[in-house]
């Protein structure tokens, strides 16, 4: 089943509706952002929500975030422009904007507090999931970022799917920060830099030759048929 056609939630055992984090990316039809910038903005929005004080213990988002993190971590990317983008800003979440080269639009993404896949608020539910693509042009401008996410050269993904996978890799990197040192120091440095990260596209040879500490295996519920490694992540030292 492909998300390019439609999306159907996969119930948990007992028929319980699975939880997901909804993500909305901004798409300007006349001046679209680049794919790499959209992927980076989406990943930054997810990490920013996880790091937000409202997601900390005692915060209003804490229980929802922890319930989601403790299960199958699903993310669904939709696209919006114009008024529809403005409408979703009224829902609880975190938005990130990121400029690209002069010839392209600004990348923007909003991550929302996780909840059951259905039902969704009308402002989100009416947004399209299928076939979200942005221009695949150029490389990341964040070559000095603390975090690097690599996209597998062995699979094909829509921009929406790729953004979700990059966000997943960034999330796991955030959660595993400082495993060899001080996690709070690592996160504080990343936070001070606005959670910037570089999304990189290694060659097949580089991908096979260089394992990374974070590896994301997609469950295959949407575009990809079966378990597939999609992204990796590491800290730049």
């Amino acid at each position: 089943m492909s998300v390019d056609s439609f999306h159907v939630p996969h119930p948990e055992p007992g028929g319980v509706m699975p939880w997901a984090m909804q993500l909305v990316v901004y798409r300007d039809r006349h001046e679209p952002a680049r794919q790499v910038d959209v992927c980076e903005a989406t990943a930054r929005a997810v990490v920013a929500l996880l790091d937000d004080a409202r997601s900390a213990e005692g915060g209003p988002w804490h229980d929802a975030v922890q319930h989601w993190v403790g299960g199958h971590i699903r993310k669904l990317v939709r696209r919006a422009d114009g008024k529809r983008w403005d409408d979703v800003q009224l829902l609880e979440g975190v938005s990130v904007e990121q400029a690209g080269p002069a010839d392209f639009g600004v990348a923007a993404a909003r991550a929302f507090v996780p909840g059951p896949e259905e039902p969704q608020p009308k402002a989100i539910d009416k947004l399209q999931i299928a076939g979200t693509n942005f221009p695949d042009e150029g490389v990341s401008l964040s070559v000095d970022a603390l975090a690097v996410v690599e996209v597998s050269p062995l699979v094909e993904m829509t921009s929406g799917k790729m953004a979700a996978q990059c966000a997943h890799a960034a999330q796991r990197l955030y959660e595993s920060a400082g495993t060899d040192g001080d996690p709070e120091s690592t996160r504080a440095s990343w936070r001070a830099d606005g959670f910037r990260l570089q999304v990189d596209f290694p060659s097949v040879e580089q991908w096979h030759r260089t394992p990374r500490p974070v590896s994301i295996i997609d469950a295959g519920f949407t575009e990809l048929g079966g378990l597939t490694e999609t992204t990796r992540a590491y800290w730049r030292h």
Side-chain angles (χ1 to χ4, degrees):
M1 179 178 63
S2 169
V3 76
D4 288 337
S5 301
F6 53 89
H7 171 75
V8 177
H10 292 257
E12 303 285 5
V16 176
M17 179 61 64
W19 277 45
M21 175 183 281
Q22 304 291 328
L23 303 165
V24 175
V25 295
Y26 175 69
R27 188 184 68 169
D28 186 325
R29 297 181 183 182
H30 303 291
E31 193 177 23
R34 299 185 306 163
Q35 175 175 263
V36 64
D37 298 320
V38 172
C39 288
E40 291 178 358
T42 304
R44 291 173 63 195
V46 169
V47 175
L49 186 146
L50 295 174
D51 189 73
D52 194 286
R54 289 166 290 185
S55 297
E57 188 170 358
W61 299 349
H62 175 266
D63 291 350
V65 169
Q66 290 305 308
H67 179 84
W68 172 69
V69 168
H72 296 292
I73 300 179
R74 294 178 170 94
K75 296 181 178 74
L76 294 174
V77 175
R78 304 167 188 260
R79 65 178 184 264
D81 57 10
K83 184 178 182 302
R84 292 189 172 189
W85 172 253
D86 294 336
D87 289 345
V88 298
Q89 304 307 305
L90 303 177
L91 303 175
E92 288 191 311
V94 175
S95 291
V96 168
E97 291 189 0
Q98 177 170 316
D103 293 339
F104 294 90
V106 173
R110 186 169 181 84
F112 299 90
V113 179
E117 283 195 35
E118 293 182 357
Q120 288 297 315
K122 289 183 179 179
I124 290 179
D125 190 53
K126 64 185 178 182
L127 301 179
Q128 188 168 346
I129 299 176
T132 297
N133 279 303
F134 291 85
D136 183 9
E137 298 284 349
V139 298
S140 173
L141 302 181
S142 303
V143 293
D144 60 341
L146 297 172
V148 180
V149 172
E150 295 180 329
V151 177
S152 171
L154 306 178
V155 296
E156 292 186 6
M157 295 179 278
T158 63
S159 298
K161 179 70 173 180
M162 187 183 298
Q165 296 302 297
C166 288
H168 199 154
Q171 174 180 344
R172 288 307 193 197
L173 194 65
Y174 172 84
E175 292 170 347
S176 63
T179 53
D180 297 326
D182 181 355
E184 288 310 313
S185 176
T186 301
R187 289 175 183 160
S189 295
W190 202 17
R191 182 183 305 118
D193 194 37
F195 298 114
R196 284 193 314 121
L197 69 152
Q198 176 184 352
V199 169
D200 196 15
F201 299 89
S203 67
V204 172
E205 180 183 2
Q206 291 169 327
W207 183 261
H208 286 312
R209 187 179 65 235
T210 313
R212 301 300 187 185
V214 170
S215 172
I216 301 304
I217 309 297
D218 185 70
F221 289 151
T222 53
E223 289 184 24
L224 307 177
L227 299 177
T228 306
E229 186 182 25
T230 57
T231 48
R232 297 173 180 171
Y234 66 96
W235 298 108
R236 176 181 278 120
H237 298 292

